[in-house]
Structure formats: structure tokens, C-alpha cells
Amino acid sequence: MFDKYAGLLYDYLTRKKRLVQLILIFIIVVSLAALYFVEYESSMDNILPQNEVLSRSMEFFRNSNIAGKVVVSMELTSPEKDVNDLLREIDLLAASLDKNLFPEVAVGISESAFARDMDVMLKNLPELASAGEMSQIDALINKEHISSKLHDAYLQLLKPQGILLNSTFRSDPLGMRMMVFEKLKSLSSSTGYEMEIKDGHFVSRDGRHAMLIAKSAVAVTDSEGSRKMLDSLKKNLEGLPEYIRADVVCGHTHTVSNEKLIKRDIVLISLIAAVAMLLLYGWVIRDVSAVTIFMIPVVAILISVVLSYLFFGKLSYWVIGLGSTVAGIATDYGTHVYFAAQGKSDPSTFVKHVIKPVCFGALTSIAIFIAFFFSRIKGYNQLAVVTIISIILSTLISIFVLPHLMLKKDGGPSFADRITKKLENMNLSSGLTVLFWFFLTIVLTYFSFHVEFERDIKNIDGTEKVIIDAEKRFQKTWGGEKTPAVLVVNSTDYEDALEKNEKIYRDAVLAIGKDKFTSISPLWPSAKTKKENLGQWKNFWTEQRKQRLRTLLLQEGKKYNFSENAFAPFFANLEAANENNKGDAGGFPDESGKSLFERFVQKTDNGYRLISFFPDTKEYVDSINEISRQYPDTYLVSSTVLSSTLSEAVSEDLKLMTWIAAISVIVMTYLCFFNIRETLIALMPPLTSILWLFGLMALLGISINAANMIAGVLVIGLNSDYGIFMTFRSRKEMNTGTITAITLCTVTTLIGVGVLIFAKHPALSSVGITMVIGLGAGFFSSVMVVPKLCELFVKKTGMKL
């Protein structure tokens, strides 16, 4: 029935071929005009699964003050220059940066800012000191400690700079300032950097490097914005003198590098594949009209991009690039129709004969990409639409337009005719090849169960070597080799966030230790805790304790000629603290404390976000994750968690899509033949390609990742077509040059994807390896195995020439 109605439709459209061609030209012109209005986006969100953990992490990277940092490390390369030259240049660089792209720039922390931070903490010490710290202070009130402190103070005051320390000693004879200092110091350890402060600048310990930290207005996931930002920064760095080398370290460089490598590889590969195909087709076919075979997918992709834009709005650059490559399989349909029609005085009979295998070959490919709609990756959904539309259009143009564009030939058989006749008459399939195929498939099936999924996204990161080298130099100079994991606390209410953060801090200290968990909680607790601390402070400083301290200071002070009123400022501050601190200063820190809180406390559109840091190892991540589960609106951001979650999400998608694709291919193949034996034989090439592919990947140590997963699906689609065409050919109803078409399609595709193996981007390289193995296995089984299986298990009809 399919053949009957397909034939009638072909005859009808043949009579209307001029009208069909005019309509096609009109659609092409409209699509070309509409292409100008199509908008694209380059966000990485399109190629990530819609997963809660991944979505939260990406949202954190987009909006966090931490993730958007751009760090510039400047190094003195001339021994004749000193640190003063370095600091002058880094100040000039900071002043020259575009404020629209870098709204906040820091080259260090001034001594006055640090002193202000200390003053803020000391002023609030009655509210900040915990019961444990009260015990530490109590331990300081003894003769031995007081004597030691006053002795040290006496020696310091004898020095020239002692006059500057006079007020400090008088207001803090116990050294409580050091308690605050240690807290502030613990916060800086969360960066993992090893640095010193010189003249208010971040300077390396060797004194030959300085650091600039800028907050970027561009999200790390925005590749287009990242490129513009880095271009602007590059222009600023070009103004540095020759004796300074600058390294830029930020997530934006990875985003831009990956996109640049992918675009470069795709352009190179497309050119090589196009030239190879033109040369090969030109040598085999030697017919100018064969150029239309290559124009079919181009036209189909043009129209599909415009139609997809109407469905989705903005389209991903990544999807368009990969979709164009995937849609290139549509060349196969034009090739089969061309070889069926070429050299025939009346090609209609031969074209009608291949309509069914061409259509069902296209339908199996479409069925595979329908499985992409079940993926949680938005980009895969777009890819499915672009590809399906392209395949449908390519199939229709190949069948109903291409035959009428082929040039009529006069004279004897052409070179292509002779090659076709020779290949069709060769007995390439034998019992020995089938036996070899069977045993090799059994062996590789065993190994296929041992293939692994890529769990570290960094292994398919295409960052250029120059960026990696810059980061290695940075880590060697400043430390911070491993980015810490982050625990995020979100709340619409600031006090609620602080209270939750306190509880988490106490649990985390018990779980992994105080030195492994850096939080703002010890420095800035909630109003409730501040009120409790203030009460403890007032109860602690009883008149008896103050008098005991006065007596000790007076007795020991006489040994070093301290006056009776030397430490009056300290006791005055105690009285002032009791009067001024009410325990209700829990609001959002003002500008005086901003430098302390910026890294740990952030105001968001929906409220507040508090951040704590800890080492990003599996042991610590698991411990903190258990704590996080007990508190709503808290979550972890960790490269370890991100990689494992991405791997799990992609593998789940792959399993679901594989099952859907497998069932769809089986159903479509059966509908093509309505014969179980022919269906099973036609499925041998895609089945073989998957088993051989996974088996060889396991043997070669290649993991399945998000990139080669697409290649694997494409391999199934191509080999499904080969299986259908070869099984259909084995009916021996008509010689339509099937083997020549399949061989030509396979060779050209292998040339194109084979170049991918040498791509610089690891993801594209893995795609190349996947395609070469899968296509090679599918071609071998379709040409060398399927004919013999058909001969053994399927009843044949007579050949019609």
C-alpha cells in the first residue's frame, strides 16, 4: 500500500514539477530573508541537564560575587625592577579597567581598612564573644600572663615606633585584640591564597608578584559576554611595560576557549569534509548535477533553523553547529536516489522503487531523534527539532525534486555506471565473514558491559594550553590549587539566615573540625546570639573580676613604671560596652564592615545568601551534605558534586533515550518490511555498531560523555539506514546501486568524522573516534553480513534490470 500511494504522489508531483520547484525557491528566498532576524545564544545552560543540583550551581555561578571574579597576577620579569614598580603598574591597570565590565576592582586591603575592620569587631566584642571565649579571657586574668604582657609592652614602647602602639596597649592589656585577629585571619584562609599585604596591596611571598581581583559584570556561562570582557581586559594588559607579565585566571577564559576551539574545529572539519566529498563524488560520479546532492541538506538546514526559531525563540550556537553536522546524514538519501535514477532513460520506475527504503530510513533516524525530546537537556530538545525538520525536508527534496534536476546523458555507460555494476556483482558476503562477525560480536559484547561514563567534566574541557599554563603559574605563586566547596544558606529574612548559619557551623565543626570549615558565624552571629553573648559578657565582668584585674595591672605595672591610670581606657571601654551594646545589632552590615562580609554575606533579589567554605574532597562533601539535608534552603556547590551529578544525569538521559530509540528503530524497521526475519536482519548493522562501539571503547579506555553520546545516536541512525537499504536490496527486485551509494556515503562520512579524531577539543575528538568505530562496524555488517543472512533466511524474488 505504501508503494502504491507513494508512487501516485511521485507521479502527481512529477506533473507539477515546475510548480514544486517554484514553491521550493520561494521558501528558500523567504528563509534566507528570515535568517537575518534569527537570534542566537551561547549560554552553557542549553547543554546541561535540567537538574536541581546543576540548576542551583549554575544560578550560584551566575549571581555569586565569588564565581564572577577575574584575577590578574602580575609578575616582575626584570631583576632591575622592584616591588614599587610593580605596585605602580597594578594601580594604573586597576584605574584603566572598564567600570561597566568590572564594577569593583581591588588590588589589596589598606591598613586603615583592616584597622577599621578590627575596630568594628572590637566594638562589638561583647556581642560576639561566646561562652568559650569568655573562658579564654578568664584564663588571661592571672599574675603570670599579666606580667608577661606588660613586659612585652614595655619592650615595645621603648622602640621608636612604640609611641604608635601606646593607645593599643592601654585599651587592650589582655590582648583580646588577638582573638579578633585570629578570627579575621581564619576568613582569609578560605581563599586558599598565600599572600602578604604590602602598602595595602596583595603581594606574593617572593615579592615579585602582585594580584588584582575584579568583580565581573558578565556571567561565567555567557560566552559572548565573556569574549567581549576578555577582549577589553586584553587591551588594558597590552599597555603594561615589557618587564611585567600578566596572567588572567577566571572561569570566563574556559568558556571562551571551549567555544573558540569548537568553532575552529567545526569550520576546519566542515571544509575538509566538503572538499573530500566533492572530490570523491566528482571522481566517482563525474556529473555536475550531483552538486545538488550536497545542496539538499544545506537548504533543509536553512529552512529548519528558521522554523525552529519560531518554536523556541533564541537558538543555541552549539545546537546549530551540531545540528548542521547531524543533519548532514541527509546527504545519504539524495545519494541513494541519485544512483537509482542516474543513467536511466526513464528514472521514475527506479526512483519509486527506492522511495520506501529512503522514507523508512529517514523515519528510523527521525524516531531516534524523537527520543531526544525525553532528555532533560534543553539543547537536545532544540537539536531534535532542527534535525527532524532537516531530515524530513531533505527526504522530500531528494525524492520529488532531485530526479528532475539531474542532467540527461547520452552514449554508453558512465564511469559511475561501471563502478556500480562492478560493486553490485561482487560477492562480498560469505559464510566466513559472517562467522568472523559473529565471534567478534560475542567478544565485544562481553567488553561492552564494562564501558564507563565520564564522571569528571574537566576531562572533556577544551581549554587551551596557554590558559592551563597561566593557571599553573598562578597556583605555584599564590597557592589555591583546589577551589574550596561552598555551602550556601538562602533566606528571605536576614536573621533567619544568620540563625540557620550558626546551627550549620556548630554541626560542621563537630563533623569535620573547626579548621576545615570557614564561616562568618563566629564573627557575626544572629541578633539572638548577640543578645545572649552580651548577657554573658555583662555577667562575666563583675565588679569583683574588674577589681581583681585592676589590682594585678597596678601591681605588675609598677615593675615597668606604668602609671596608676595607664589602663583607664580599657575599663572605660568596658563600661561603655555595657551601656552602648543592647544585643540588637543584628542587621545587615554597613559599609564599615563591608570588606569583611562581601565574600560571606550577599544580598540577593529574593533576600540574603550566606556562604561558608570547606575542602572539596569526597569525605568532607559527604559530611557537609548530610548536614545540609537537615536545613531547608541550603545546598552545596562543589566541583566534585557537580561532576558526579552531571555524569549521573547524562547517563540517566542516555539510558532512557537509548531504550526509546531502540524501540522506535525496531518498530519503524518492522513497518518497512512487515516481516520479522527481514526486520531482524535489517537491525544487525545498528546493533553491531553499538556492541562493537561500546566493546572497543571499554578496551581503549574511552568513556561515554555528553558529546560522544550524540555521536552514538547518530551512528544508530546511519546504520539503521544501511540495514534497511541492504535488506531491501537483497530482495533482488531491482538494481538501484545500493552498495555503491552506501560505500560512497560511508567513505565520505568517515573522511569527515575521521578528521575529528585530530580535533584539539577533547569532546570533538571523542566524537570522531565514536563515529569512526560505529560507522566502520555498521558498514562491515551491512555489506559483508546482511546479504548472506538474507540469502540464508529470506526468500528472494527475481532480479529486474
Side-chain angles (χ1 to χ4, degrees), residues 254-286:
H254 289 259
T255 302
V256 173
S257 180
N258 273 276
E259 184 184 74
K260 184 168 70 175
L261 274 183
I262 289 175
K263 285 183 177 180
R264 183 193 304 165
D265 285 339
I266 287 178
V267 170
L268 177 63
I269 291 154
S270 300
L271 287 174
I272 293 175
V275 171
M277 291 174 72
L278 286 171
L279 291 175
L280 189 60
Y281 272 72
W283 178 72
V284 174
I285 299 176
R286 302 182 184 183

Side-chain angles (χ1 to χ4, degrees), residues 170-439:
R170 296 185 66 198
S171 61
D172 185 21
L174 293 178
M176 291 188 294
R177 181 180 293 267
M178 289 303 299
M179 295 173 55
V180 176
F181 178 78
E182 289 300 322
K183 287 186 177 184
L184 292 174
K185 186 178 178 181
S186 69
L187 295 187
S188 65
S189 66
S190 66
T191 65
Y193 297 145
E194 300 172 358
M195 64 175 66
E196 297 177 353
I197 303 298
K198 181 176 176 56
D199 296 334
H201 293 75
F202 298 127
V203 178
S204 62
R205 291 181 176 177
D206 62 6
R208 304 292 294 176
H209 302 77
M211 184 193 296
L212 178 150
I213 303 176
K215 178 182 177 182
S216 171
V218 180
V220 177
T221 54
D222 182 0
S223 59
E224 182 64 21
S226 296
R227 183 184 60 77
K228 292 179 180 179
M229 182 203 74
L230 292 175
D231 285 344
S232 174
L233 178 57
K234 183 179 178 181
K235 290 181 180 179
N236 294 119
L237 295 177
E238 288 173 352
L240 293 174
E242 293 181 357
Y243 58 82
I244 289 181
R245 177 174 67 183
D247 290 327
V248 178
V249 177
C250 60
H252 306 82
T253 56
H254 289 259
T255 302
V256 173
S257 180
N258 273 276
E259 184 184 74
K260 184 168 70 175
L261 274 183
I262 289 175
K263 285 183 177 180
R264 183 193 304 165
D265 285 339
I266 287 178
V267 170
L268 177 63
I269 291 154
S270 300
L271 287 174
I272 293 175
V275 171
M277 291 174 72
L278 286 171
L279 291 175
L280 189 60
Y281 272 72
W283 178 72
V284 174
I285 299 176
R286 302 182 184 183
D287 179 7
V288 176
S289 61
V291 175
T292 54
I293 297 175
F294 306 104
M295 294 305 300
I296 290 172
V298 174
V299 170
I301 292 167
L302 169 65
I303 299 172
S304 68
V305 166
V306 174
L307 292 177
S308 299
Y309 175 68
L310 297 178
F311 284 118
F312 294 106
K314 290 184 179 180
L315 299 176
S316 169
Y317 279 117
W318 178 86
V319 169
I320 298 303
L322 190 55
S324 300
T325 304
V326 171
I329 64 175
T331 306
D332 292 9
Y333 308 133
T335 303
H336 282 283
V337 172
Y338 179 88
F339 276 99
Q342 64 94 25
K344 309 297 191 303
S345 56
D346 181 15
S348 61
T349 303
F350 294 86
V351 173
K352 290 177 186 178
H353 181 72
V354 298
I355 287 179
K356 187 172 185 178
V358 166
C359 286
F360 276 92
L363 287 173
T364 54
S365 297
I366 290 172
I368 288 172
F369 284 100
I370 286 176
F372 279 52
F373 287 117
F374 294 87
S375 172
R376 289 171 293 175
I377 300 176
K378 180 183 176 182
Y380 284 1
N381 304 150
Q382 288 190 11
L383 178 64
V385 172
V386 172
T387 306
I388 288 173
I389 295 175
S390 297
I391 291 174
I392 292 173
L393 292 173
S394 295
T395 304
L396 294 176
I397 296 172
S398 297
I399 294 172
F400 300 112
V401 178
L402 176 62
H404 308 302
L405 299 178
M406 296 172 60
L407 299 176
K408 305 295 182 181
K409 292 186 177 181
D410 299 323
S414 64
F415 181 70
D417 293 332
R418 294 195 297 271
I419 290 180
T420 300
K421 185 175 181 181
K422 187 174 182 178
L423 284 174
E424 295 297 327
N425 292 330
M426 288 176 65
N427 186 16
L428 300 174
S429 183
S430 65
L432 186 61
T433 56
V434 172
L435 194 62
F436 170 78
W437 162 81
F438 178 76
F439 282 108

Side-chain angles (χ1 to χ4, degrees), residues 42-61:
S42 52
S43 172
M44 290 178 64
D45 292 350
N46 290 315
I47 58 175
L48 293 175
Q50 299 301 304
N51 174 279
E52 184 181 6
V53 173
L54 295 174
S55 298
R56 286 187 314 204
S57 297
M58 295 309 294
E59 189 273 337
F60 177 81
F61 287 134

